[in-house]
Every structure is written in structure tokens, then in C-alpha cells.
Amino acid sequence: MKTFEEMWEDLKPYLSCEKGLDEGYYDGKYTRYFARYCKHIVGVDISPEFYEKAKENLKDLDNVELKIMDAANVDYSDKYFDVVLCTSFHEFDLSGKDEFKMDLELKTRILNEMARLSDTIVFAEIDPDNLSAELYKVFNPIEQHDVRTRKSNELIDKVLKKKGYKLLLCDKAVDKIPYKSKEEFKEDMLSWWAEVHVPENEEEKQQMLDKIENILESRKFLTNLCFDDVFRYTVYKKSN
Ligand SMILES: C[S@@+](CC[C@H](N)C(=O)[O-])C[C@H]1O[C@@H](n2cnc3c(N)ncnc32)[C@H](O)[C@@H]1O
């Protein structure tokens, strides 16, 4: 499998442009990668809290303009952007996490909006086989992240191909996230899904940590002190 740096090298020809749109920037981690290649990035995220977070994290970059904006209704003219980048954005249920329903209508509206804004659309999303799907269940047992990710990928492919886009690239890469100790690793896993559920007491916390430990060790992540965050990345392009 490709390394994370190789993934960005593969995407570089599509991300190297004048005007790019980053959808759902969260804390700006991947906006920073995008900013290596694109001259001017507009980032949109619906959350005011993440706006503040990303603003702080990216304050040293002068080619990123962050906005609080709904990806279903982006206030820019048709084909304004050379490229739209989505990292770990589309596979999530964009309508909210309480029921984990698949709002295909909302996802379709967002895809149509992307197609209105650019002829090149890049996705770097959690792979359906990423271990995070198992870990997510510790926080909410009804979540089937792998199933929703697969459905989301099918929808992206169907909607964009119907609109005349071609799939130019489809590959997988691993972002290796290192940890200094098992304790730091497990505590970080608790924080990844703190938005979904925080343990109510010490007993529940220990139970969750035990489950997390078993899941991580199923792929020797704890032994290696490294989380292999596997991405599936795709490039869709429409030529006129
Ligand atoms: C899982 S995070 C992904 C973040 C980031 N791109 C990454 O790879 O780390 C999904 C992000 O999408 C944002 N989001 C959800 N619905 C949105 C919408 N309709 N319009 C814009 N942003 C949205 C959330 O606030 C969140 O920051």
C-alpha cells in the first residue's frame, strides 16, 4: 500500500492550481497539506467551533481563507474553483450523528453543489476497512461506519458519473500515526470519538479502554505503537 506522502504526490497534479475549495476542514490538518500545492484555498465548514480551531491551527498560512458555510449551499459562482478537495468529509453522515441514518438526499445535494463549483473533485476518505469502523462501535454500537462508507462511495461514483465525470484515479494509502506509549495511544482513541460519547465514570472508562485495547491489538497496532489510518483516494474529472 502507498504511504501517505505518496498519496499527496499522486494528488499533487490535481491540487496544484490557483483556486481550491476544501470541504469540511475540521481542525485544518489536511487543509495544511492542500496548502502546499494550491495558491488560494477557500475552506468551508458548517461548525463555528471548528472554524475557531482551524483558524488558530492555520494562522501561519496566508493562502487559506476559512469560512463558516454549508457545503450544500456554497456562495461562489459556477465553476469558480479549479478543484474541490474532500478529506474524511463525505463518508460521514452529514445530517447528524444521533441516528446514523444515511441521508442520501443531502449527500446528493452536496455532490451536485460540488459539480456546480468545479470540474475536478478529489476525495481522500477513510477506507471502509479502516480499523476506526470497529473502534467507533465502542462509542456507539449502532454505528456501522464501514457500511456507510461503502454506500457513500457508491453514491459519489453514481452521481458524478451521471454528470459526466470520469474516475481518473482510485488508490489506497496509509497515514501512520505514531504514539509514545500504550497509555497515550488508548487515551487518544478515547478522544477521537469524544463527540459521540464520553465515559460517565471510571468503571465505564476502563471497560471502554479494554475494548479499545483488544481492537487495536487485533492488528498489532498497540505492539507497534502506531495507528495505520488507511485512506481510499479518488479523483473525478469532467472534460468539456
Ligand atoms: C470528519 S470531519 C473531517 C474533517 C477533515 N477534513 C479531516 O479530514 O480531518 C467532517 C467535517 O465536516 C463538517 N461538516 C459536516 N456537515 C457539513 C456541511 N453540510 N457543510 C460543511 N461542513 C460540514 C463537520 O463540521 C466536520 O468538521
Side-chain angles (χ1 to χ4, degrees):
M1 197 181 304
K2 297 229 166 107
T3 65
F4 205 51
E5 281 304 324
E6 285 168 337
M7 175 182 96
W8 290 106
E9 275 303 305
D10 279 355
L11 297 178
K12 188 175 165 182
Y14 309 100
L15 302 179
S16 303
C17 60
E18 291 291 324
K19 290 181 284 184
L21 177 66
D22 183 24
E23 298 214 327
Y25 47 72
Y26 177 51
D27 63 358
K29 176 178 175 185
Y30 299 119
T31 317
R32 182 174 286 284
Y33 281 89
F34 192 11
R36 288 179 185 172
Y37 311 115
C38 179
K39 288 208 179 115
H40 184 81
I41 296 170
V42 173
V44 296
D45 199 294
I46 207 156
S47 155
E49 186 195 332
F50 296 151
Y51 170 77
E52 293 302 330
K53 199 184 255 207
K55 200 167 85 171
E56 176 61 24
N57 290 344
L58 303 174
K59 63 182 179 214
D60 57 313
L61 299 180
D62 59 10
N63 59 337
V64 178
E65 190 185 345
L66 298 175
K67 297 192 181 270
I68 302 168
M69 203 180 269
D70 185 352
N73 195 6
V74 178
D75 195 10
Y76 282 85
S77 55
D78 293 359
K79 306 294 179 189
Y80 182 84
F81 295 100
D82 302 309
V83 65
V84 174
L85 174 68
C86 305
T87 55
S88 295
F89 173 61
H90 223 275
E91 90 269 16
F92 280 82
D93 186 332
L94 302 166
S95 64
K97 61 184 179 302
D98 297 333
E99 294 175 53
F100 291 117
K101 61 185 191 312
M102 282 288 280
D103 189 341
L104 298 182
E105 193 271 328
L106 174 64
K107 281 174 180 285
T108 304
R109 265 195 293 132
I110 290 180
L111 283 165
N112 284 333
E113 184 67 344
M114 281 178 200
R116 183 183 73 74
L117 292 163
S118 184
D119 283 335
T120 306
I121 307 177
V122 175
F123 298 90
E125 311 256 320
I126 299 297
D127 185 69
D129 294 328
N130 194 307
L131 197 60
S132 60
E134 286 305 307
L135 289 160
Y136 212 131
K137 287 191 181 128
V138 176
F139 297 79
N140 191 329
I142 63 160
E143 163 63 332
Q144 289 185 296
H145 203 98
D146 47 346
V147 175
R148 296 202 296 112
T149 310
R150 282 195 176 87
K151 278 193 188 166
S152 181
N153 290 340
E154 281 166 21
L155 183 77
I156 289 170
D157 201 65
K158 188 173 125 196
V159 171
L160 293 184
K161 283 190 175 158
K162 201 169 159 194
K163 285 194 158 287
Y165 287 75
K166 288 206 167 76
L167 179 61
L168 296 191
L169 180 66
C170 180
D171 211 336
K172 289 187 186 192
V174 58
D175 185 14
K176 288 191 166 287
I177 305 173
Y179 289 91
K180 291 194 182 73
S181 68
K182 288 187 179 182
E183 282 59 44
E184 183 203 28
F185 198 162
K186 289 192 288 180
E187 284 292 333
D188 198 37
M189 292 295 107
L190 274 184
S191 75
W192 275 22
W193 292 278
E195 238 194 296
V196 180
H197 183 71
V198 175
E200 280 165 18
N201 50 45
E202 272 309 309
E203 192 188 349
E204 191 192 7
K205 182 176 173 183
Q206 197 49 54
Q207 284 169 358
M208 288 170 73
L209 285 172
D210 290 347
K211 282 185 193 164
I212 288 171
E213 178 163 348
N214 284 335
I215 295 168
L216 290 176
E217 226 9 45
S218 67
R219 293 204 199 159
K220 296 274 175 281
F221 286 6
L222 266 188
T223 305
N224 299 332
L225 288 181
C226 186
F227 189 95
D228 288 355
D229 212 10
V230 180
F231 280 72
R232 174 181 180 271
Y233 57 102
T234 51
V235 176
Y236 287 87
K237 199 167 171 56
K238 183 173 178 173
S239 35
N240 296 306

